[in-house]
Amino acid sequence: MSQQNTILPIQKSDRIQFLDVLRGIAIFFIFSANIPVFSGFYFFPDEGRYPEALLFTDEILDFIMFTLVDGKFYSIFSLLFGIGSVIQFNNLKSNNKPFAPFFRRRMFWLLIIGLIHLCLFWQGDILTLYALLGFTLIYFIKLSDKNLLIVAVILILFPIINWLIVYSTGLNYHRFFFLTSSDYYQHFNLPTIERNGIPFADFQKFQTNESLLDYFKMNIGNTFIRIGAILREGRIFKVLGIFLIGIWAGRKVLNHDILNNTKFLKKIALWGILIGLPISILRTYIEFYGGPEDYWKLSKIISYALGTVPLAMGISALLALLYFKKPSAFAVFAPVGKLALSNYIFQTFISVAIFYGIGLGFTGKFGFTVIMGIAICIFLFQVLMSKLWLKYFRFGPFEWIWRQLTYGKRLKLLKDKKL
């Protein structure tokens, strides 16, 4: 087939460097939000940790990280996902190719990768949700800017309505998935603990388990817990809403050169932080010191809906301002961002190998500060490996697999040797 009739991957010259940098930064902070779960920090008491790994900075750093990181950087990653869909749309449009068939293939194979990651390796996977919601972007990609933002705001605020409906009707639809996980665990005689009279997955036993087969079995059961948690918090609405903001932002980046509009970026950074930071601090206080009463739960939902996205937008704009002032200072993040899918999945493999019983078994042994130090070390390793990999290869290993499946053709992985 001639090149004119073939859909080709976006070339390096078409990339906007800042988006790779922002993606790389997001990958690090998503990992810093995930590693406390990987490490067993939330599932094991302080009594079981190494005494020297408990530091006076633990609680302070935990408070700061939850305020500034939790929910914010997966929101930034969701924003980038929306921007990426616009880039793909424009690429196909310029080649007179239909967007929907291509994007469905792209999301289908991302869904397969995500399901393998979710069901077998990491119950906190985001790829599956991204792929499922990605299918819906086909119907939003041509929506006007105004309507995109209106729908986005409604979706981001809808978790509040979702909670009120569940509370007032007692229709706890997400409970089905928690009960399904319990039934699964009991059917396969896997370890459980009792919560409110219901057998629930024992995450301490899961993380200390030394059998690879049982690890896979338990992780499949944990998948139902993940689905229930996503539905309970209304994450489907939030992520889709941020995708739509990403489509809007992608148009502004590509068609209106918004990244060079310093005045606009300063306004977004200022208002995003002024609105989002105080509300996010309030949310952290509620999370750390609030009780089990329903008004605390509702306060948590409201503060998340009102504070997370503005702060994420403010951080993104601030990073853009800093980047364009001195791009070289941020260049280290670009290789990680170009290999975002591979780095995200390898973070799972590395963390399981370090913390879980099927690996080195350090689960529940470290305090929060030490865990963040480990996250930084792992990320620095990924920075070095990403730079080295891109010296010889055109794509990351998982990006290469995904692209080949999407484009339905074999793509060259090795770079041409320079003479």
Side-chain angles (χ1 to χ4, degrees):
M1 294 178 69
S2 67
Q3 183 171 329
Q4 190 174 12
N5 296 320
T6 304
I7 301 173
L8 297 174
I10 294 169
Q11 300 302 307
K12 181 179 178 180
S13 58
D14 296 324
R15 279 188 173 274
I16 298 173
Q17 182 81 354
F18 170 68
L19 298 182
D20 286 326
V21 167
L22 187 58
R23 194 175 289 110
I25 293 171
I27 281 291
F28 168 66
F29 282 107
I30 288 172
F31 183 46
S32 72
N34 286 339
I35 197 171
V37 181
F38 279 125
S39 68
F41 176 77
Y42 295 129
F43 307 125
F44 290 81
D46 285 347
E47 291 75 24
R49 309 193 202 283
Y50 297 131
E52 57 272 21
L54 294 171
L55 304 176
F56 73 94
T57 53
D58 287 346
E59 189 172 347
I60 299 169
L61 187 58
D62 192 6
F63 192 98
I64 293 171
M65 290 294 289
F66 194 85
T67 301
L68 297 179
V69 175
D70 186 80
K72 286 73 180 180
F73 284 87
Y74 95 73
S75 295
I76 291 174
F77 206 72
S78 302
L79 188 75
L80 289 165
F81 192 91
I83 293 173
S85 70
V86 175
I87 294 173
Q88 295 290 343
F89 178 79
N90 284 5
N91 180 50
L92 290 160
K93 187 178 179 181
S94 65
N95 287 287
N96 295 314
K97 299 297 179 183
F99 175 71
F102 165 80
F103 204 70
R104 284 195 187 100
R105 288 197 307 273
R106 183 173 171 83
M107 291 301 102
F108 173 78
W109 289 114
L110 180 62
L111 177 61
I112 297 301
I113 295 170
L115 284 171
I116 294 170
H117 186 234
L118 169 65
C119 296
L120 296 181
F121 297 101
W122 169 229
Q123 71 270 17
D125 167 79
I126 60 171
L127 302 176
T128 304
L129 179 61
Y130 276 30
L132 288 170
L133 294 178
F135 284 110
T136 69
L137 295 188
I138 293 166
Y139 307 102
F140 289 106
I141 197 71
K142 293 183 180 180
L143 208 62
S144 70
D145 287 350
K146 180 181 177 181
N147 288 335
L148 273 175
L149 294 179
I150 290 172
V151 176
V153 170
I154 292 170
L155 286 168
I156 289 167
L157 296 178
F158 197 79
I160 301 171
I161 306 300
N162 178 65
W163 189 92
L164 290 171
I165 291 172
V166 170
Y167 178 77
S168 60
T169 64
L171 185 63
N172 296 323
Y173 59 93
H174 53 265
R175 182 181 170 87
F176 168 80
F177 294 96
F178 294 121
L179 294 176
T180 301
S181 175
S182 298
D183 292 341
Y184 175 93
Y185 261 71
Q186 288 181 301
H187 178 77
F188 288 100
N189 199 28
L190 298 171
T192 60
I193 56 175
E194 192 172 294
R195 288 187 183 176
N196 301 320
I198 299 172
F200 198 79
D202 188 336
F203 277 92
Q204 288 189 10
K205 295 285 179 64
F206 167 58
Q207 292 196 304
T208 56
N209 154 70
E210 296 179 0
S211 165
L212 187 61
L213 179 60
D214 284 346
Y215 166 77
F216 289 134
K217 282 168 132 180
M218 285 188 267
N219 211 69
I220 290 171
N222 296 340
T223 298
F224 297 108
I225 297 174
R226 174 64 169 172
I227 296 169
I230 286 173
L231 293 174
R232 181 176 61 190
E233 68 177 56
R235 183 174 292 203
I236 290 173
F237 309 113
K238 288 182 287 194
V239 172
L240 182 55
I242 300 167
F243 279 0
L244 300 189
I245 294 176
I247 293 176
W248 173 85
R251 291 174 184 172
K252 298 301 178 186
V253 168
L254 296 175
N255 303 327
H256 302 284
D257 202 20
I258 197 175
L259 292 178
N260 284 323
N261 189 337
T262 304
K263 185 178 179 180
F264 180 79
L265 291 175
K266 284 181 177 178
K267 189 180 293 186
I268 294 292
L270 178 63
W271 284 108
I273 293 171
L274 282 178
I275 294 170
L277 184 57
I279 299 175
S280 293
I281 292 172
L282 174 62
R283 174 181 172 247
T284 305
Y285 178 85
I286 295 168
E287 182 72 33
F288 280 45
Y289 306 112
E293 294 83 5
D294 288 332
Y295 62 82
W296 285 115
K297 294 176 183 177
L298 178 58
S299 299
K300 197 185 302 182
I301 293 288
I302 293 172
S303 59
Y304 193 108
L306 298 180
T308 300
V309 174
L311 185 54
M313 296 289 288
I315 291 171
S316 300
L318 179 61
L319 287 171
L321 290 166
L322 294 172
Y323 172 81
F324 288 108
K325 190 168 283 189
K326 193 172 183 182
S328 60
F330 293 85
V332 67
F333 293 101
V336 180
K338 290 174 183 177
L339 275 59
L341 177 62
S342 294
N343 280 314
Y344 174 72
I345 292 175
F346 281 127
Q347 284 170 357
T348 296
F349 296 157
I350 294 169
S351 297
V352 169
I354 292 173
F355 296 111
Y356 283 49
I358 59 172
L360 298 177
F362 285 112
T363 186
K365 299 298 183 184
F366 304 116
F368 194 86
T369 306
V370 173
I371 291 168
M372 288 302 108
I374 293 171
I376 291 170
C377 291
I378 292 171
F379 184 74
L380 289 175
F381 172 73
Q382 290 191 301
V383 168
L384 293 173
M385 290 305 297
S386 296
K387 189 172 183 179
L388 181 63
W389 181 273
L390 288 172
K391 187 176 180 180
Y392 301 101
F393 301 99
R394 299 173 67 217
F395 315 110
F398 285 99
E399 284 82 1
W400 181 60
I401 293 169
W402 186 22
R403 281 170 180 247
Q404 289 188 113
L405 292 169
T406 298
Y407 294 105
K409 59 177 287 185
R410 183 168 179 79
L411 298 174
K412 187 176 179 182
L413 180 59
L414 278 169
K415 287 184 175 179
D416 294 327
K417 291 182 180 180
K418 294 180 180 179
L419 298 176

